[in-house]
Amino acid sequence: MTLVERVREAGVVGAGGAGFPTHVKLGVPAEVVLGNGAECEPLLHKDGAVMERTAGALVEGMRRVMGAVGGVGGVVAIKGKNRGAWEAVEEACRGVAVEVAELGDYYPAGDEYDLVHAVTGRAIPPGGLPRDVGCLVQNVETLVNVAQAAEGRPVTHKTLTVAGAVREAVTLTVPLGTSMRACVEAAGGAEDPESVLMIGGVMMGEVTTDWGTPVTKTTAGVVVLPRGHRVAVRKLTPPRAQAAIGRSACDQCRYCTEMCPRYLLGYAVEPHLVMRGLGFTAPGSESWNEWAGLCCACGLCTLYACPEDLFPKEACDDAKAGLRRGGWRPVVRGPVEPHPFHEGRRVPLNRLIGRLDLAGYDRPAPWREAAVRVESVTLPLKQHAGAACRAVVRVGDRVRMGQRVGEVPSGELGAPVHASMDGVVEAVEATRIVLRRTA
């Protein structure tokens, strides 16, 4: 069985948040393989913990991926401040054609377009992918999962950071399907029982008040914040109110655009023009939406740049949804050239944390061998980009950890789902499977 087949069988997907099925990426030739260890979301430390604890598996995964895609070089990109991760990976790289590249401590260093340019100097064409410039980018945890898949072990667990308004910020490895409630309890519990959860981080994550939300293959962490915290209030603002505020208050100052990482890299992303388009309802307004087409949804425009606390990132999200429905493709007008102030306008992570009123929560979250024993897990049938899986088990079936319980429909993009513990199938629904522990 080839590596691509093993990775597909193991259900490996992008563990940094995107969830793209990894076996598809491994089917395309690439010259350079980049391990993304940037981890730029405020307060999250799971990639650092993965690199420190499993550097050998990370480099082994990198070596196997390089072999699959014909790569002649591999680079693990790590922020210079993460010395423990840096030293562990550098040691694991001895004797292997893989090196470590240092990134600055800025946000969003992990964006693929920014990462590829920072490490290789190559500019991905507008609307393109890293493969268009001979690169393949994988999150460091994904590479560890590739190494495990090569040994026949499917993805059944996830490493994530629990941070924010908890008694002890920690990084844990838990079975897929573990509830957020159980993860927060493992961190000593929330300081405020009315807290909200930022799953995936405060910048690009999703906000929820559902503590039963399960950990999936893409969960990098959860940040717990009091409901009255500035970021929580903004994230909980209803979409219609966000748009109404933008229509009435945006004065076209351009700060959202001037601080946009993609704009500064030379791409046609101008959030202030998308905000201007909020007031247009006549035919032709789509032309304004095109300025959102290459937005990476980092959230800097909304949570850092805008002096009026408006919602340009969310306006771009809506615009991109409309563009996708219309089959939009970017028009390439020439080579991408970074803005003269590209380097000077990078946002240091500590400054972003201060702007977000998160300094009081900015603390280490070391990995802990916590016994997070759960009696049941809820496995979503869609933990990846592409089509949802269909259940291949029935209520009452006994399953073993690692057994396939969800299969991708024939011919569709996706990744199978496996049981994350020994148990009995308690429920099979359209979107999820519930397992109850038997031992």
Side-chain angles (χ1 to χ4, degrees):
M1 187 180 292
T2 67
L3 180 67
V4 172
E5 292 169 335
R6 288 183 181 276
V7 167
R8 181 179 62 242
E9 290 295 307
V12 182
V13 304
F20 193 82
T22 302
H23 69 274
V24 178
K25 285 189 173 185
L26 300 189
V28 180
E31 177 187 349
V32 181
V33 177
L34 301 178
N36 188 348
E39 192 162 49
C40 50
E41 270 281 353
L43 311 185
L44 299 191
H45 302 278
K46 77 93 178 170
D47 282 340
V50 167
M51 289 186 283
E52 283 195 51
R53 293 182 51 251
T54 57
L58 159 61
V59 175
E60 175 62 14
M62 174 80 79
R63 188 186 68 80
R64 288 182 178 274
V65 169
M66 290 164 58
V69 301
V72 297
V75 182
V76 182
I78 309 173
K79 288 187 175 181
K81 69 173 185 178
N82 293 334
R83 296 315 304 175
W86 179 288
E87 292 169 2
V89 174
E90 194 168 49
E91 177 64 28
C93 287
R94 295 186 186 279
V96 184
V98 177
E99 59 187 56
V100 182
E102 181 174 354
L103 299 174
D105 191 22
Y106 57 86
Y107 179 86
D111 172 44
E112 280 191 340
Y113 278 48
D114 190 282
L115 184 72
V116 168
H117 185 268
V119 175
T120 70
R122 305 174 187 180
I124 298 172
L129 296 168
R131 69 188 186 195
D132 297 323
V133 290
C135 296
L136 183 150
V137 179
Q138 295 283 18
N139 176 264
V140 290
E141 188 179 6
T142 307
L143 290 167
V144 172
N145 289 337
V146 167
Q148 294 176 347
E151 299 175 354
R153 291 185 286 164
V155 180
T156 59
H157 285 64
K158 186 72 176 74
T159 299
L160 73 159
T161 295
V162 185
V166 293
R167 289 180 171 80
E168 180 187 5
V170 295
T171 298
L172 308 165
T173 300
V174 302
L176 292 174
T178 300
S179 71
M180 289 297 160
R181 178 178 291 103
C183 294
V184 173
E185 288 174 354
E191 296 174 354
D192 180 348
E194 298 300 316
S195 295
V196 298
L197 307 176
M198 307 285 176
I199 299 176
V202 297
M203 297 299 291
M204 299 183 72
E206 297 181 2
V207 62
T208 183
T209 57
D210 181 3
W211 290 65
T213 300
V215 172
T216 72
K217 297 178 184 181
T218 62
T219 306
V222 56
V223 177
V224 181
L225 290 179
R227 186 179 291 266
H229 189 278
R230 171 175 174 263
V231 175
V233 170
R234 301 209 65 205
K235 292 272 189 175
L236 291 169
T237 302
R240 291 187 64 182
Q242 294 173 356
I245 294 168
R247 277 194 296 271
S248 64
C250 180
D251 61 8
Q252 293 290 286
C253 72
R254 285 187 58 97
Y255 284 154
C256 56
T257 293
E258 295 297 335
M259 294 302 297
C260 170
R262 287 282 179 92
Y263 170 79
L264 292 169
L265 264 178
Y267 297 95
V269 183
E270 300 199 23
H272 79 283
L273 293 181
V274 181
M275 293 294 284
R276 186 186 298 179
L278 290 176
F280 296 167
T281 57
S285 61
E286 293 83 358
S287 63
W288 296 101
N289 291 347
E290 291 182 6
W291 295 102
L294 299 177
C295 164
C296 66
C298 72
L300 273 180
C301 52
T302 289
L303 293 174
Y304 183 85
C306 182
E308 298 186 61
D309 281 350
L310 305 182
F311 299 89
K313 180 262 185 186
E314 289 71 17
C316 287
D317 287 344
D318 289 343
K320 286 189 295 183
L323 291 172
R324 284 193 296 270
R325 289 192 295 271
W328 174 84
R329 291 290 184 272
V331 177
V332 181
R333 296 183 173 87
V336 174
E337 294 290 341
H339 191 284
F341 295 157
H342 170 238
E343 294 291 338
R345 287 187 186 161
R346 291 194 186 280
V347 177
L349 192 61
N350 61 356
R351 186 180 299 172
L352 176 61
I353 287 172
R355 180 72 64 87
L356 297 177
D357 297 328
L358 295 174
Y361 304 123
D362 186 18
R363 47 188 166 164
W367 185 82
R368 191 176 72 203
E369 183 100 35
V372 183
R373 180 181 172 86
V374 290
E375 295 307 311
S376 67
V377 293
T378 299
L379 298 171
L381 288 167
K382 190 177 188 307
Q383 301 184 39
H384 50 265
C389 290
R390 55 177 179 79
V392 293
V393 291
R394 295 177 296 181
V395 174
D397 285 353
R398 288 184 174 271
V399 298
R400 303 289 293 177
M401 185 176 74
Q403 179 179 331
R404 185 174 302 196
V405 296
E407 180 61 273
V408 181
S410 178
E412 297 284 353
L413 176 69
V417 175
H418 301 80
S420 57
M421 66 182 188
D422 296 345
V424 173
V425 178
E426 189 172 69
V428 176
E429 301 173 7
T431 60
R432 63 180 192 166
I433 295 171
V434 179
L435 304 181
R436 182 159 296 279
R437 184 182 294 278
T438 55

